[in-house]
Structures are given as C-alpha cells and as structure tokens.
Amino acid sequence: MIHLSNVEKVYRTDRIETVALSNINVRVEQGEFISIMGPSGSGKSTLLNVIGLLDVPTGGEVTLNGRLITSYGDRSLARVRNEEIGFIFQTFHLINDLSVVDNVEIPLLYRKMSGAERRKRALKALEQVGLSARVHHFPSQLSGGQQQRVAIARAIVGGPRILLADEPTGNLDSQMGDEVMSILKALNSLEQTTVVMVTHDQRQAEKTARIVRLFDGRQVN
Amino acid sequence: MIHLSNVEKVYRTDRIETVALSNINVRVEQGEFISIMGPSGSGKSTLLNVIGLLDVPTGGEVTLNGRLITSYGDRSLARVRNEEIGFIFQTFHLINDLSVVDNVEIPLLYRKMSGAERRKRALKALEQVGLSARVHHFPSQLSGGQQQRVAIARAIVGGPRILLADEPTGNLDSQMGDEVMSILKALNSLEQTTVVMVTHDQRQAEKTARIVRLFDGRQVN
Ligand SMILES: Nc1ncnc2c1ncn2[C@@H]1O[C@H](COP(=O)(O)OP(=O)(O)OP(=O)(O)O)[C@@H](O)[C@H]1O
Ligand SMILES: Nc1ncnc2c1ncn2[C@@H]1O[C@H](COP(=O)(O)OP(=O)(O)OP(=O)(O)O)[C@@H](O)[C@H]1O
Ligand SMILES: [Mg+2]
Ligand SMILES: [Mg+2]
C-alpha cells in the first residue's frame, strides 16, 4: 500500500523555479490498477517517480506499507525498489551495449537464480510482448515500439509486486497496445500486482479501476 | 515531388538479416499531406528515413523532383536535407547540452541570418507549441511531451518545403495532439509544405489526404 500525503515537488535552479507537483494526496492499495492522466507537463511522470521511490518530494510524506520511506536507509530503499517495483520508463532507458535478452535479464541479476533460469524467464517475457524474433538484436536495431516492448518485458520479468508504467502504449498501434494492456490486467488479476499506469489514451485508462487526474501539478477531478 | 520505386531495405549483420521494407512504391506530390500507418515494427520509420534522405535503400530508386538522388553527391544531398526537409524524430534527438531555444535555432545556423533574427524565429516556433515558459530549460528538465514539442518547433522553424513527422503526437494528450495537428495542417495549406506523418492515431490520420499502410515491410491496402 502506497500513500502520498500533501506531496510537493519543486525544482529549483538559479534561474528557474518549477512547481511540478503540489498538494498531492494519493492512496494506492495493494492489488489496485489505477491510471494517471493529464495534459503534457502536468506532473504525471514526476508523480510516478515519487510513487516508485525514484524521486524524493520537496514536501509532504510518502508511506509504503505503513512505514515512512524517509525512515528507510539508502540501501533498504534500493532493495525495495529492486525487489518489489518494476518500472516502464516513458523513454525506455534500455542499455545500448546489451542485447535485448540481456537487457531483460537485468532485474533478475539481483536474485539467487541460475543463468539458465534467468534466460528462460527473459525469453518468456519477450514472447509475451511478441519479440521472440528480436532477442539477439541491440536496442539501436529496433523500432520505437519494439524498444518500448523490451522495456515492458524487463519490468515484468521479475514478477514485481508493484508495476509502474509511464505511457506503456505510447509508441504502439492499437492492437499491440491492447495486447500490452491484457498483459498488465492479467498480472493484476492473477498475481495481484499493483499497477499504476500513466497514459494519454482514454480508451486504455477506462480499462482500469480509477483515474487520478493532474493539471499543472495539482490533482483535479 | 518524392518518388520511391520498388524500394527495398534489408539490414544484414553476421547473425541476422531483417527485411525492413520490400517492394515499396510511393509517390508524394508537392503540397500533399499524407499519413503512414501500420503495426509496430512494420517499417514506418524506415520508410520515413528513406523519404527524408537519411537512409539509403538496399534496392530500388528514390527520385526527388525528377532527379535520382543516387546522382547527388554527399554535399548536395546534405544541402537538400538542411534547406528543404524538416524532421521530427520518434525519439526526438534533442541536444542535451543546449537549452531549448538553442536546440530550436539549430536549423537556422545554416542560413545567412542575424543572431537576433534566429532567436526571434525560434521563440515564435516555441510559442506555437506552447513552450514559451520553457525556453531556457534543458531537455533533461522537460517532460516527455515537452521534449516532443521542442523537436516539433525545431523541425518547423526553418519553414521547410517538406516536413517529415515520426509519431509527432505520441507523447501528447489529445488536446495538445490536436493543436500540433492544426500547426501541421496550417503549414500545409498556407505554406504548401509537403507533410508526411507516421502515426498510430487513426483520428489524426483521418485529418490527412490519404493513408499509406504498411505490414511487415510491405504496402497493403
Ligand atoms: N539497424 C537495424 N538492424 C536490424 N534490424 C533493424 C534495424 N533497424 C530497424 N530494424 C528492423 O526493421 C523493422 C522496421 O523498423 P521500423 O523502425 O521502421 O518500424 P516502425 O514501423 O517504425 O515501428 P514502430 O511503430 O514500433 O516505431 C523492425 O522489425 C526493426 O527491428
Ligand atoms: N529537472 C527539472 N527541472 C525543472 N523542471 C522540471 C524538471 N523535471 C521536470 N520539470 C518540469 O516539471 C513539469 C512536470 O513534468 P512531468 O515530466 O512530470 O510531466 P508529464 O505530465 O509526465 O508530461 P508528459 O505528458 O509531457 O510526459 C514539467 O513542466 C517539466 O518542465
Ligand atoms: Mg511524462
Ligand atoms: Mg517507428
């Protein structure tokens, strides 16, 4: 269960101050599937980064399973992220020097698992996103939507308890987008994975339990 | 007028051979606004790169205004690209060490123009995409959709004769996506800019004159 209370995120440099989030109150229960929507620049990725413990708010509190995350040390915070959270980034963040399958295996390197078992799970995740014919390609040899799907496979391969998806269908045609949504919904209903998805696609958002809407860094409804 | 005749693009490395395009016949007349659609991995970006002279086909011919582009030397090809073609890339390709306004000024550096005139035109392009409040930010300080809009501003700032847009609304909410489409349609109708747009969004494609559809590297209809 993730709880954001009066969360604020302000970016300050010597010439600019940008309020990315202000007075955000969001509660995500274990096993929920929710969407975050709003105009470009409204704070969605920032909100997802705070929920995913990748970014620290400048105000307010973040609680994970009842415990303030400001009470976690860096190492236990990193462990929570690696073991419990899968993240699909808006700009993919694939490693260009590694093949597709090696990219997908990365979250499994933190676990006690044989190389053969890691490869088997990575290949299965890639098959789920329709990329079995691209396992030995490198990211620069893939289309935009194929790169996005590698990012999705990498996020789900470790069976995380929480999956955070930043516009996971943004580079996909509607049929492939629907297939990705079915994967996310299956994880949510069969494995009780909590899913928080940022999307611009109203049609995909309507497949989720509720929608958190942002405008200029604030929550609106 | 751009004419692709029996164009083929095959990628070969020692372990893989991928047919990205096969038997492509496309004719784009000056002043047309057409869309390219198809599933993820079907060859759309590859086709746009060939049309934009960024990629050389492995088979077939590309003619620009009646002249085979294989007859152009590297330097005249580069000049055609810089002076006549604006390109919005699927992954933006912004320069991280340059501010937003400096990024947008780049196509104007090839022309005889004062620094004051370049800045004036760059600010106008940024205003058109709603980013006047972000001119001194750096790309890493922008949201995904804001980066996409900087890429759009950079592509239109030089008033190119041909504008090639690879999923220009992929990271934008529907309202901002519609605003971008109005900019493209205005360029097409008021300045006779030829526009070729790759998109996954059927609603935006229907605002254009015709749709070229790809499947597995081939044209289908
Ligand atoms: N350098 C390369 N080496 C090998 N294969 C490549 C290379 N570049 C692209 N491909 C392959 O060519 C095919 C077409 O790629 P392209 O980027 O044109 O697809 P696309 O239609 O734009 O897809 P998307 O909608 O996902 O962006 C893909 O299957 C891709 O894996
Ligand atoms: N490092 C930073 N420094 C300054 N401002 C920033 C920084 N990072 C983000 N911002 C600003 O914070 C705001 C929110 O950004 P965010 O990436 O959360 O938006 P978003 O809703 O995900 O947008 P999009 O739909 O375009 O991806 C934007 O206006 C952006 O310019
Ligand atoms: Mg975002
Ligand atoms: Mg593409």
Side-chain angles (χ1 to χ4, degrees), chain A residues 78-118:
Chain A
R79 208 187 62 238
V80 170
R81 274 206 306 267
N82 292 334
E83 293 180 4
E84 306 210 7
I85 300 176
F87 211 117
I88 302 165
F89 295 94
Q90 190 170 3
T91 50
F92 323 146
H93 292 327
L94 302 181
I95 299 186
N96 285 321
D97 304 330
L98 295 182
S99 69
V100 161
V101 67
D102 286 343
N103 262 282
V104 175
E105 285 192 25
I106 286 176
L108 303 178
L109 297 175
Y110 300 108
R111 312 200 179 181
K112 293 191 174 13
M113 190 181 289
S114 69
E117 178 65 15
R118 272 205 310 272

Side-chain angles (χ1 to χ4, degrees), chain A residues 45 90 166, chain B residues 144:
Chain A
S45 296
Q90 190 170 3
D166 201 340

